[in-house]
Amino acid sequence: MNIIIVKDALEGGKKGLELFENALNNGAEVIGLATGSTPITFYNEVKNSNLDLSDKISINLDEYCGVANDHPQSYHYFMQKNLFDVKPFKESYVPDGANTNEEEACGAYNTILEENPIDFQILGIGTNGHIGFNEPGSPFNSVTRKVDLTPATIEANARFFESEADVPKFAYSMGIKNITDAKEIVLFAYGKNKQEAVKSLVEGAVTEDFPASILQNHDNVTIIIDEEASALLK
Ligand code: PGA
């Protein structure tokens, strides 16, 4: 695992752009994307760059269930506003949270992933070690499926909704296997509230109780963290 410690999220976004440009220069075609507050500085750098992504494919990690694609808190909407409006891809895939047929929605997504292996995957990390919405206990061999969000995640995401009661309780999420199948992975984490998660990610046991720990076994992972998030590392 390569570790890059930066001053702040702004510098993290710039580092992320460098790694992304390298990957594109080396032929990356399929880009795995993430939502949340953390990747925003990276997306801003991409938006301000000269990159043309109109012949690339993007595949997002997850989407809330029961939320229309044009809902302001949907991940479809997030991606549109934070990246695609300025940098459109040839094709962009986000799980169809509006489709109540779980088998159909997840099956279709797994087929997309099989047909388009991810070259470069962006990740954030939850304070509980989730990547995508793979909450603690998610099997390392999991693929896209419907998942229950834990109370910790619902609480963490309540800031985006009017109240905690409005946060969806389920999501469709790429599985751990889909994520670790990516050739290269870049994970961002910033701030004091990610200190414990970063410590477990880098120095903890590899266990399904802390899903992100599986990244220790991947041969091309870079984590970009700020000084605060790195404070507990040995
Ligand atoms: P955040 O979410 O970037 O909003 O902290 C990260 C995550 O839950 O994966």
Side-chain angles (χ1 to χ4, degrees), residues 133-196:
F133 273 133
N134 294 286
E135 302 283 32
S138 295
F140 284 155
N141 64 359
S142 54
V143 294
T144 311
R145 68 218 183 282
K146 184 174 179 176
V147 294
D148 293 3
L149 304 189
T150 60
T153 297
I154 291 170
E155 194 190 320
N157 289 4
R159 66 191 195 276
F160 300 115
F161 291 83
E162 272 187 31
S163 76
E164 206 169 302
D166 294 326
V167 184
K169 308 290 179 285
F170 304 96
Y172 294 141
S173 179
M174 267 166 60
I176 298 287
K177 175 160 192 316
N178 300 127
I179 295 172
T180 52
D181 277 349
K183 289 198 194 97
E184 177 175 3
I185 297 175
V186 174
L187 180 149
F188 299 100
Y190 306 123
K192 193 169 174 0
N193 74 330
K194 297 289 169 78
Q195 280 176 354
E196 298 280 352

Side-chain angles (χ1 to χ4, degrees), residues 60-73:
N60 261 78
L61 288 168
D62 47 19
E63 177 61 284
Y64 291 121
C65 287
V67 166
N69 294 345
D70 60 357
H71 185 288
Q73 295 310 334

